[in-house]
Amino acid sequence: MSKSPLARIAGTGLFTPSQSISNEELVEAYNAWVDKWNAANPDEEPKQHSSAEFIEKASGIKARFVLNKDGILDTDRMRPSLPQRTNDELSIMAEMGVTAARDAMKAADLQPADIDAVICAASNMQRAYPAMAVEIQNALGIDGYGFDMNVACASAAFGIQNAVGLIATGARRVLMVNPEICSAHLNFRDRDAHFIFGDVSTAVIVERAEGEPGPDSWEIIDTRLKTVFSNNIRNNFGFLNHTSDELDISAPDTDKLFKQEGRKVFKDVVPMVAELISGHLADNEIDPTTLKRMWLHQANLSMNQFIARKVLGRDASEEEAPVVLDTYANTSSSGSMIAFHRHREGIDIGEIGVISGFGAGYSAGSVIVRRAA
Ligand code: COA
């Protein structure tokens, strides 16, 4: 634990859409769609209604922020309506990232000239190229370079490790953004999953740990990543769809949108993440009982309670393992970063916490941080 950290978090930012959908609103629309579908398909096995009580009990989610509510709740559409912008306009994913990035730069009192690189780390990119990170870099007026990376819900933890790597190779500061438009890859006709996701963007600035730390700085003590292949969370949308004749994203059971075996994911990922964090702490000679906070990926409340219990050896309080999924739902890579952004008060200088994202791949990352100022 004595090695001196190469990098620190200098500030974080958040963009939250202005529109939100409650479980009740979502279920009302889903059930109306089911009634229509069942009436139109009398020879098929009838689809079952969804339930707001089930959603909250099974996941802890009460509502989700989205970029466009009307399109999702329109039973003839069941997907957000996000009109295409011209190539001369800032694209929507870049706009979210830029808003969160400006928030982070303001918090850290930094200017574009202070930053050397931009990483856009998210579950889905709006297009193949140019990279979202390069568009965000341009919109902010940052010199240097940018690139995109995707490791699903673990993207932010992987992004932080990569930012530290860029610092090791000479960058002074790296802006890492996570714009997640999860409502665009969610199948709102799938009862098992229609409630899972929300839209948001987070941003974090990672800087070389030299000189006086800013007023809200967090040393990155160490990072650790892990991936294990699994088909239990999968989305087959991609550029090769164009070469086959099977693309129908309006089908209720399409595999060109998010699909998961939720129970299996839960069972596989809880031990994987608990082991990753526990081993990571042990190798850094950190006693888990001294951990002040765990900013975990926000997919499922009981999943987080299990992971925190395994790491700490006892139940974690809500202060120790903050929850944002009740109002944000699962925001993929942004979840752990929203928790870190909003719930890092009450930790003294020198005290330690862990940021951890996990999800499809499977993929998981652990970032041990210590309050520096
Ligand atoms: N409304 C009402 N009932 C529903 C429902 C809905 N929307 N969706 C499923 N059900 C029913 C199922 O039909 C099943 O009924 P049965 O017992 O009669 O067969 C029952 O509820 C349990 O379904 P199941 O899918 O096993 O629920 P679950 O307890 O596993 O909870 C998740 C579902 C998705 C909330 C949960 O599995 C989860 O969060 N897993 C981890 C997800 C995760 O971390 N993903 C990472 C993605 S980045």
Side-chain angles (χ1 to χ4, degrees), residues 91-336:
S91 48
I92 189 158
M93 221 178 130
E95 184 176 273
M96 296 166 72
V98 162
T99 308
R102 290 210 169 105
D103 194 28
M105 286 162 71
K106 189 167 171 229
D109 193 19
L110 291 168
Q111 303 304 316
D114 299 319
I115 296 171
D116 292 332
V118 179
I119 299 174
C120 180
S123 290
N124 288 274
M125 297 302 159
Q126 177 168 347
R127 58 171 180 261
Y129 37 79
M132 298 312 305
V134 178
E135 188 180 2
I136 292 168
Q137 174 201 353
N138 179 60
L140 290 168
I142 292 172
D143 207 2
Y145 58 93
F147 60 88
D148 293 349
M149 50 178 284
N150 167 11
V151 206
C153 294
S155 294
F158 278 67
I160 290 176
Q161 173 157 320
N162 274 272
V164 174
L166 299 184
I167 301 257
T169 57
R172 291 165 304 154
R173 287 188 196 84
V174 181
L175 168 68
M176 199 277 295
V177 293
N178 321 105
E180 292 283 10
I181 311 181
C182 297
S183 63
H185 66 99
L186 178 54
N187 188 350
F188 287 96
R189 296 179 169 95
D190 175 4
R191 177 174 175 258
D192 289 342
H194 76 116
F195 54 89
I196 287 181
F197 287 121
D199 303 332
V200 81
S201 180
T202 47
V204 56
I205 295 167
V206 177
E207 69 177 7
R208 198 174 298 160
E210 61 184 19
E212 264 311 292
D216 186 15
S217 283
W218 297 74
E219 291 168 335
I220 299 169
I221 296 177
D222 198 22
T223 56
R224 182 169 292 182
L225 310 176
K226 173 91 182 159
T227 51
V228 178
F229 183 70
S230 168
N231 279 319
N232 288 331
I233 314 174
R234 189 159 175 139
N235 179 343
N236 279 330
F237 188 79
F239 78 103
L240 285 181
N241 297 151
H242 177 59
T243 63
S244 82
D245 300 322
E246 293 147 16
L247 183 65
D248 178 6
I249 57 163
S250 67
D253 60 349
T254 182
D255 72 346
K256 305 297 185 292
L257 292 169
F258 171 90
K259 236 179 156 45
Q260 77 164 347
E261 297 283 341
R263 280 266 158 104
K264 290 186 187 159
V265 173
F266 196 109
K267 224 170 115 246
D268 295 343
V269 171
V270 166
M272 176 178 162
V273 175
E275 252 168 59
L276 176 77
I277 298 174
S278 299
H280 195 200
L281 291 172
D283 290 348
N284 281 277
E285 293 169 23
I286 296 169
D287 177 352
T289 62
T290 64
L291 213 56
K292 279 290 157 189
R293 210 149 292 180
M294 299 175 76
W295 298 279
L296 299 174
H297 173 48
Q298 303 282 317
N300 180 295
L301 182 56
S302 14
M303 204 171 182
N304 286 10
Q305 289 166 340
F306 271 109
I307 292 169
R309 191 179 307 143
K310 276 184 180 245
V311 172
L312 299 177
R314 60 169 173 80
D315 286 339
S317 67
E318 206 177 309
E319 191 189 354
E320 290 171 315
V323 178
V324 301
L325 61 80
D326 52 346
T327 52
Y328 279 88
N330 182 344
T331 50
S332 198
S333 67
S334 288
S336 55

Side-chain angles (χ1 to χ4, degrees), residues 40-52:
N41 297 276
D43 299 332
E44 303 279 342
E45 191 185 330
K47 294 197 178 295
Q48 295 177 343
H49 277 180
S50 181
S51 127

